[in-house]
Amino acid sequence: MKILVPVKRVIDYNVKVRVKADQTGVDLANVKMSMNPFDEISVEEALKLKEAGAATEVVAVSIGVTQCQETLRTAMAMGADRGILVESSADLQPLAVAKLLKALCDKEAPGLVILGKQAIDDDSNQTGQMLAALLGWPQATFASKVTLADGNASVVREVDGGLETVSVKLPAIVTTDLRLNTPRYATLPNIMKAKKKPLDVVTPESLGVDVTPRLTTLKVVEPPKRKGGVMVPDVAALVDKLKNEAKVL
């Protein structure tokens, strides 16, 4: 079975995000970029399934600018067999990404697609669900444990009330949560090997997908700075502030 793993190039989670002066978006100039952490978990889970004998090939996919090849090489250094880059400089929104992934699924015919539940740059949490709808495949979101057996995937998923276990028939879509696993580090020998692994580059046009944005961002602003806390002398003063200033009582 083939597993398709979409990976996104995002601003590194250790970097403080800056908004452009004209408020049209986030400043990406001279900013460290890396693989979306949720997608790292997806790659790790796909590799574990392959090592357990449940899959035969892991294909990493990224959609975006040419530099996304670096993200794909990282996935291949972790252990993915090959990579596919859908190269586009357009502002790619979740629906466009889902349509591109559907076209790749039609072409590659994977038995399972594992992707992060959301990206840390836009936090949309939409692509996996949209992809499942477009393909007509079952989906299991927010996975904290994945087991494959007898043509089915048993997925323990995190819900507000605790944990829920669902069984979906393959092929299926699974989106990963933080508690699923801890991604491995790419070793130097594997980083060198990744440079020789096949990486195909295609375009949205070659896949027959229109990626024209459907939403327009009007303005991007930074959140207001938090005000400093104050010390209160006793419980009575605390209750007074909660009642008269915060007005939560």
PDB file of all heavy atoms in Angstrom, residues 29-47:
ATOM      1  N   ALA A  29      10.456  37.804   4.619  1.00  0.00           N
ATOM      2  CA  ALA A  29      11.820  38.104   4.199  1.00  0.00           C
ATOM      3  C   ALA A  29      12.823  37.718   5.280  1.00  0.00           C
ATOM      4  O   ALA A  29      12.684  38.115   6.440  1.00  0.00           O
ATOM      5  CB  ALA A  29      11.944  39.587   3.864  1.00  0.00           C
ATOM      6  N   ASN A  30      13.833  36.945   4.875  1.00  0.00           N
ATOM      7  CA  ASN A  30      14.913  36.533   5.773  1.00  0.00           C
ATOM      8  C   ASN A  30      14.408  35.843   7.040  1.00  0.00           C
ATOM      9  O   ASN A  30      14.942  36.035   8.135  1.00  0.00           O
ATOM     10  CB  ASN A  30      15.783  37.741   6.158  1.00  0.00           C
ATOM     11  CG  ASN A  30      16.387  38.428   4.956  1.00  0.00           C
ATOM     12  OD1 ASN A  30      16.915  37.778   4.060  1.00  0.00           O
ATOM     13  ND2 ASN A  30      16.295  39.748   4.916  1.00  0.00           N
ATOM     14  N   VAL A  31      13.360  35.059   6.890  1.00  0.00           N
ATOM     15  CA  VAL A  31      12.774  34.334   8.010  1.00  0.00           C
ATOM     16  C   VAL A  31      13.046  32.844   7.852  1.00  0.00           C
ATOM     17  O   VAL A  31      12.919  32.297   6.747  1.00  0.00           O
ATOM     18  CB  VAL A  31      11.248  34.591   8.089  1.00  0.00           C
ATOM     19  CG1 VAL A  31      10.610  33.718   9.153  1.00  0.00           C
ATOM     20  CG2 VAL A  31      10.961  36.056   8.384  1.00  0.00           C
ATOM     21  N   LYS A  32      13.423  32.185   8.940  1.00  0.00           N
ATOM     22  CA  LYS A  32      13.678  30.747   8.883  1.00  0.00           C
ATOM     23  C   LYS A  32      12.376  29.993   8.645  1.00  0.00           C
ATOM     24  O   LYS A  32      11.377  30.221   9.314  1.00  0.00           O
ATOM     25  CB  LYS A  32      14.319  30.264  10.186  1.00  0.00           C
ATOM     26  CG  LYS A  32      14.631  28.770  10.189  1.00  0.00           C
ATOM     27  CD  LYS A  32      15.183  28.309  11.533  1.00  0.00           C
ATOM     28  CE  LYS A  32      15.425  26.805  11.539  1.00  0.00           C
ATOM     29  NZ  LYS A  32      15.892  26.319  12.854  1.00  0.00           N
ATOM     30  N   MET A  33      12.398  29.094   7.665  1.00  0.00           N
ATOM     31  CA  MET A  33      11.230  28.286   7.330  1.00  0.00           C
ATOM     32  C   MET A  33      11.526  26.819   7.657  1.00  0.00           C
ATOM     33  O   MET A  33      12.681  26.377   7.646  1.00  0.00           O
ATOM     34  CB  MET A  33      10.883  28.427   5.849  1.00  0.00           C
ATOM     35  CG  MET A  33      10.749  29.863   5.364  1.00  0.00           C
ATOM     36  SD  MET A  33       9.323  30.731   6.046  1.00  0.00           S
ATOM     37  CE  MET A  33       8.010  30.018   5.055  1.00  0.00           C
ATOM     38  N   SER A  34      10.492  26.062   7.953  1.00  0.00           N
ATOM     39  CA  SER A  34      10.665  24.640   8.256  1.00  0.00           C
ATOM     40  C   SER A  34       9.370  23.901   7.937  1.00  0.00           C
ATOM     41  O   SER A  34       8.376  24.507   7.512  1.00  0.00           O
ATOM     42  CB  SER A  34      11.062  24.441   9.723  1.00  0.00           C
ATOM     43  OG  SER A  34      10.042  24.930  10.577  1.00  0.00           O
ATOM     44  N   MET A  35       9.385  22.586   8.155  1.00  0.00           N
ATOM     45  CA  MET A  35       8.189  21.792   7.919  1.00  0.00           C
ATOM     46  C   MET A  35       7.177  22.029   9.036  1.00  0.00           C
ATOM     47  O   MET A  35       7.549  22.124  10.204  1.00  0.00           O
ATOM     48  CB  MET A  35       8.543  20.298   7.845  1.00  0.00           C
ATOM     49  CG  MET A  35       7.376  19.400   7.434  1.00  0.00           C
ATOM     50  SD  MET A  35       7.717  17.627   7.602  1.00  0.00           S
ATOM     51  CE  MET A  35       9.145  17.439   6.547  1.00  0.00           C
ATOM     52  N   ASN A  36       5.919  22.122   8.669  1.00  0.00           N
ATOM     53  CA  ASN A  36       4.851  22.263   9.652  1.00  0.00           C
ATOM     54  C   ASN A  36       4.942  21.129  10.683  1.00  0.00           C
ATOM     55  O   ASN A  36       5.005  19.957  10.310  1.00  0.00           O
ATOM     56  CB  ASN A  36       3.505  22.217   8.923  1.00  0.00           C
ATOM     57  CG  ASN A  36       2.331  22.320   9.865  1.00  0.00           C
ATOM     58  OD1 ASN A  36       2.316  23.138  10.771  1.00  0.00           O
ATOM     59  ND2 ASN A  36       1.343  21.479   9.649  1.00  0.00           N
ATOM     60  N   PRO A  37       4.987  21.426  11.978  1.00  0.00           N
ATOM     61  CA  PRO A  37       5.167  20.382  12.998  1.00  0.00           C
ATOM     62  C   PRO A  37       4.140  19.246  12.919  1.00  0.00           C
ATOM     63  O   PRO A  37       4.482  18.080  13.143  1.00  0.00           O
ATOM     64  CB  PRO A  37       5.033  21.153  14.312  1.00  0.00           C
ATOM     65  CG  PRO A  37       5.442  22.542  13.976  1.00  0.00           C
ATOM     66  CD  PRO A  37       4.974  22.770  12.583  1.00  0.00           C
ATOM     67  N   PHE A  38       2.885  19.564  12.621  1.00  0.00           N
ATOM     68  CA  PHE A  38       1.870  18.511  12.506  1.00  0.00           C
ATOM     69  C   PHE A  38       2.181  17.586  11.321  1.00  0.00           C
ATOM     70  O   PHE A  38       1.874  16.394  11.367  1.00  0.00           O
ATOM     71  CB  PHE A  38       0.479  19.124  12.348  1.00  0.00           C
ATOM     72  CG  PHE A  38      -0.040  19.768  13.598  1.00  0.00           C
ATOM     73  CD1 PHE A  38       0.007  21.146  13.762  1.00  0.00           C
ATOM     74  CD2 PHE A  38      -0.569  18.999  14.633  1.00  0.00           C
ATOM     75  CE1 PHE A  38      -0.467  21.748  14.920  1.00  0.00           C
ATOM     76  CE2 PHE A  38      -1.050  19.593  15.793  1.00  0.00           C
ATOM     77  CZ  PHE A  38      -0.993  20.965  15.937  1.00  0.00           C
ATOM     78  N   ASP A  39       2.795  18.144  10.271  1.00  0.00           N
ATOM     79  CA  ASP A  39       3.152  17.323   9.113  1.00  0.00           C
ATOM     80  C   ASP A  39       4.364  16.442   9.403  1.00  0.00           C
ATOM     81  O   ASP A  39       4.491  15.345   8.860  1.00  0.00           O
ATOM     82  CB  ASP A  39       3.427  18.215   7.897  1.00  0.00           C
ATOM     83  CG  ASP A  39       2.179  18.972   7.455  1.00  0.00           C
ATOM     84  OD1 ASP A  39       1.076  18.510   7.777  1.00  0.00           O
ATOM     85  OD2 ASP A  39       2.316  20.011   6.787  1.00  0.00           O
ATOM     86  N   GLU A  40       5.262  16.915  10.266  1.00  0.00           N
ATOM     87  CA  GLU A  40       6.370  16.066  10.708  1.00  0.00           C
ATOM     88  C   GLU A  40       5.825  14.813  11.391  1.00  0.00           C
ATOM     89  O   GLU A  40       6.336  13.701  11.185  1.00  0.00           O
ATOM     90  CB  GLU A  40       7.271  16.828  11.682  1.00  0.00           C
ATOM     91  CG  GLU A  40       8.190  17.838  11.045  1.00  0.00           C
ATOM     92  CD  GLU A  40       9.142  18.448  12.047  1.00  0.00           C
ATOM     93  OE1 GLU A  40       8.704  18.770  13.155  1.00  0.00           O
ATOM     94  OE2 GLU A  40      10.335  18.608  11.720  1.00  0.00           O
ATOM     95  N   ILE A  41       4.787  15.001  12.199  1.00  0.00           N
ATOM     96  CA  ILE A  41       4.148  13.865  12.873  1.00  0.00           C
ATOM     97  C   ILE A  41       3.531  12.920  11.844  1.00  0.00           C
ATOM     98  O   ILE A  41       3.587  11.697  11.990  1.00  0.00           O
ATOM     99  CB  ILE A  41       3.095  14.388  13.871  1.00  0.00           C
ATOM    100  CG1 ILE A  41       3.786  15.150  15.009  1.00  0.00           C
ATOM    101  CG2 ILE A  41       2.236  13.256  14.431  1.00  0.00           C
ATOM    102  CD1 ILE A  41       2.854  15.918  15.913  1.00  0.00           C
ATOM    103  N   SER A  42       2.946  13.494  10.786  1.00  0.00           N
ATOM    104  CA  SER A  42       2.358  12.672   9.717  1.00  0.00           C
ATOM    105  C   SER A  42       3.415  11.833   9.015  1.00  0.00           C
ATOM    106  O   SER A  42       3.204  10.641   8.747  1.00  0.00           O
ATOM    107  CB  SER A  42       1.654  13.573   8.692  1.00  0.00           C
ATOM    108  OG  SER A  42       0.635  14.318   9.291  1.00  0.00           O
ATOM    109  N   VAL A  43       4.557  12.449   8.715  1.00  0.00           N
ATOM    110  CA  VAL A  43       5.647  11.712   8.066  1.00  0.00           C
ATOM    111  C   VAL A  43       6.112  10.574   8.969  1.00  0.00           C
ATOM    112  O   VAL A  43       6.294   9.429   8.519  1.00  0.00           O
ATOM    113  CB  VAL A  43       6.824  12.655   7.734  1.00  0.00           C
ATOM    114  CG1 VAL A  43       8.006  11.859   7.207  1.00  0.00           C
ATOM    115  CG2 VAL A  43       6.402  13.701   6.708  1.00  0.00           C
ATOM    116  N   GLU A  44       6.304  10.868  10.244  1.00  0.00           N
ATOM    117  CA  GLU A  44       6.758   9.851  11.196  1.00  0.00           C
ATOM    118  C   GLU A  44       5.773   8.688  11.265  1.00  0.00           C
ATOM    119  O   GLU A  44       6.184   7.515  11.261  1.00  0.00           O
ATOM    120  CB  GLU A  44       6.938  10.471  12.580  1.00  0.00           C
ATOM    121  CG  GLU A  44       7.320   9.489  13.676  1.00  0.00           C
ATOM    122  CD  GLU A  44       8.687   8.855  13.469  1.00  0.00           C
ATOM    123  OE1 GLU A  44       9.537   9.470  12.791  1.00  0.00           O
ATOM    124  OE2 GLU A  44       8.905   7.735  13.974  1.00  0.00           O
ATOM    125  N   GLU A  45       4.482   8.983  11.297  1.00  0.00           N
ATOM    126  CA  GLU A  45       3.487   7.914  11.389  1.00  0.00           C
ATOM    127  C   GLU A  45       3.476   7.059  10.128  1.00  0.00           C
ATOM    128  O   GLU A  45       3.363   5.833  10.204  1.00  0.00           O
ATOM    129  CB  GLU A  45       2.097   8.502  11.645  1.00  0.00           C
ATOM    130  CG  GLU A  45       1.058   7.467  12.034  1.00  0.00           C
ATOM    131  CD  GLU A  45       1.372   6.770  13.353  1.00  0.00           C
ATOM    132  OE1 GLU A  45       2.125   7.338  14.164  1.00  0.00           O
ATOM    133  OE2 GLU A  45       0.856   5.645  13.576  1.00  0.00           O
ATOM    134  N   ALA A  46       3.604   7.695   8.977  1.00  0.00           N
ATOM    135  CA  ALA A  46       3.665   6.946   7.723  1.00  0.00           C
ATOM    136  C   ALA A  46       4.882   6.021   7.691  1.00  0.00           C
ATOM    137  O   ALA A  46       4.799   4.864   7.254  1.00  0.00           O
ATOM    138  CB  ALA A  46       3.701   7.911   6.541  1.00  0.00           C
ATOM    139  N   LEU A  47       6.012   6.513   8.192  1.00  0.00           N
ATOM    140  CA  LEU A  47       7.229   5.698   8.221  1.00  0.00           C
ATOM    141  C   LEU A  47       7.086   4.534   9.191  1.00  0.00           C
ATOM    142  O   LEU A  47       7.551   3.417   8.911  1.00  0.00           O
ATOM    143  CB  LEU A  47       8.428   6.564   8.614  1.00  0.00           C
ATOM    144  CG  LEU A  47       8.783   7.689   7.631  1.00  0.00           C
ATOM    145  CD1 LEU A  47       9.909   8.547   8.173  1.00  0.00           C
ATOM    146  CD2 LEU A  47       9.145   7.118   6.261  1.00  0.00           C
TER     147      LEU A  47
END
